[in-house]
Amino acid sequence: MSELKNLDLNLLVVFEAVYSAGNISQAARRLGMSQPTISNALRRLRDSLDDPLFVRAGRGVHPTPRAMQMIGPVREALQMIESGVAPGDSFDPARSSRHFRLVVLDAMEPIIMPHVIRRIQDHKSISIENLAIVNTPMSDGLNDGSLDLVISGFLTESRDTQCEALAPVHLSMVARNDHPAIDGAFTLDHFQRLGHIALVPRMRALSRLEEALRRLDIQRHVAYSVTKFWSFPHILMTTDLVAALPTAFARVIARNYPLALYDLPFAYPDERIYMTWKTSRTNDPGHRWLRGEIAVALNAASAQAPDR
């Protein structure tokens, strides 16, 4: 407690911004401060805590072990303070300086994020960071406060979290227009004979497709594995590979790429996308606002989607 007695809490705001940006000048832009002001605040915090907190790494900075130990509690404390001083249960994105950190399965990004971005694009002090699902320890991030929200498959290993089922997931087969081997419907023979592009195995594990293929004893040849859905469109357009993709995402990419969608040639179990967050943030006004906007985006997308 003696360390906190004379500590300016504004220094923790600077610390969190630098940690998130990994760069002093970017943190300064986010906070609307000058770079010398940020550097001076870091110097004061380093002196108070007797730790360098950040060391130079390339064009940015890298946190020290002490900084990595601090960041979770600091973020939790800053969010609790912001929630406590906010007027009532309201959240005004025009007045908030909130920085949200999400992991959004990239197949859901074009469905959800355009609506959310339009809601904040005119407000210079609020920002959203979408982290790579393949490189982010999602359960740990939720637990230590470094992540606000995860939108993906069900996180069975998360603890002290709330989980809400969102949109159902339907899959379609996708191939380039005028694929030489496909004439009419996409058949089970096509599925087993043609080469596939798919996510890497640890990401495929988030879906129930592999489980369904094993249960039905259906084989496929994955010729090319990737870590993100946005790798699919160009590869599909320029090769004879095929892919099983979430239908909502497939419809988005088919607007801009010469791709055709087909029904799956076998029954696929019901599956949903989930939104997961730490229980302590359930009543946070800003967090409730973000979850509400995501629900609005998904409802709008469902209303616009044609029947299959």
Side-chain angles (χ1 to χ4, degrees), residues 136-147 157-159 278:
T136 304
M138 294 180 285
S139 294
D140 290 344
L142 290 170
N143 291 324
D144 68 19
S146 58
L147 278 178
E157 70 275 26
S158 293
R159 51 188 196 279
K278 192 169 183 178

Side-chain angles (χ1 to χ4, degrees), residues 1-208:
M1 185 65 72
S2 59
E3 285 185 345
L4 292 175
K5 184 170 63 175
N6 298 315
L7 184 63
D8 181 351
L9 291 181
N10 287 320
L11 302 182
L12 298 181
V13 175
V14 171
F15 166 76
E16 194 280 333
V18 173
Y19 194 105
S20 294
N23 184 284
I24 290 176
S25 60
Q26 289 180 21
R29 285 195 293 271
R30 177 187 147 194
L31 295 176
M33 298 178 178
S34 67
Q35 189 168 332
T37 300
I38 296 291
S39 297
N40 181 59
L42 280 181
R43 179 187 58 76
R44 291 171 55 200
L45 188 58
R46 285 165 170 156
D47 291 345
S48 296
L49 301 178
D50 193 26
D51 188 271
L53 298 178
F54 300 98
V55 294
R56 291 194 178 278
R59 296 184 179 181
V61 293
H62 186 77
T64 66
R66 177 73 184 279
M68 288 187 279
Q69 182 183 38
M70 288 172 51
I71 188 61
V74 166
R75 284 171 170 161
E76 192 79 17
L78 291 176
Q79 285 160 6
M80 289 176 66
I81 291 169
E82 180 167 357
S83 298
V85 301
D89 292 332
S90 64
F91 175 79
D92 183 358
R95 302 178 62 185
S96 173
S97 59
R98 192 76 171 261
H99 180 68
F100 293 104
R101 290 168 202 81
L102 317 179
V103 168
V104 179
L105 186 68
D106 56 351
M108 297 300 296
E109 185 180 31
I111 315 302
I112 294 171
M113 297 314 297
H115 166 83
V116 179
I117 291 167
R118 286 193 295 270
R119 294 281 284 121
I120 68 167
Q121 64 189 1
D122 296 327
H123 309 313
K124 305 299 183 184
S125 60
I126 189 170
S127 57
I128 297 175
E129 183 178 1
N130 185 13
L131 304 174
I133 192 170
V134 72
N135 296 323
T136 304
M138 294 180 285
S139 294
D140 290 344
L142 290 170
N143 291 324
D144 68 19
S146 58
L147 278 178
D148 290 288
L149 201 61
V150 171
I151 298 175
S152 73
F154 186 66
L155 301 181
T156 55
E157 70 275 26
S158 293
R159 51 188 196 279
D160 192 28
T161 56
Q162 296 289 311
C163 189
E164 178 182 337
L166 298 176
V169 177
H170 303 290
L171 297 186
S172 292
M173 293 308 303
V174 184
R176 67 182 177 94
N177 286 341
D178 302 320
H179 192 292
I182 305 171
D183 182 16
F186 190 96
T187 67
L188 186 57
D189 179 66
H190 290 132
F191 187 92
Q192 297 190 104
R193 180 166 47 88
L194 298 174
H196 288 242
I197 174 175
L199 296 173
V200 294
R202 62 184 168 132
M203 294 184 69
R204 294 206 295 269
L206 298 174
S207 166
R208 297 184 65 186

Side-chain angles (χ1 to χ4, degrees), residues 242-305:
V242 300
L245 289 173
T247 301
F249 178 75
R251 287 177 179 141
V252 169
I253 61 175
R255 296 172 194 158
N256 299 300
Y257 291 85
L259 300 173
L261 277 65
Y262 304 91
D263 290 333
L264 276 183
F266 51 84
Y268 184 69
D270 290 340
E271 187 171 8
R272 299 188 81 83
I273 288 291
Y274 294 87
M275 179 163 59
T276 309
W277 66 93
K278 192 169 183 178
T279 301
S280 60
R281 297 188 183 175
T282 297
N283 295 319
D284 176 328
H287 209 280
R288 284 207 314 268
W289 172 87
L290 179 60
R291 300 196 310 265
E293 293 300 331
I294 288 169
V296 168
L298 284 170
N299 288 336
S302 297
Q304 294 171 6

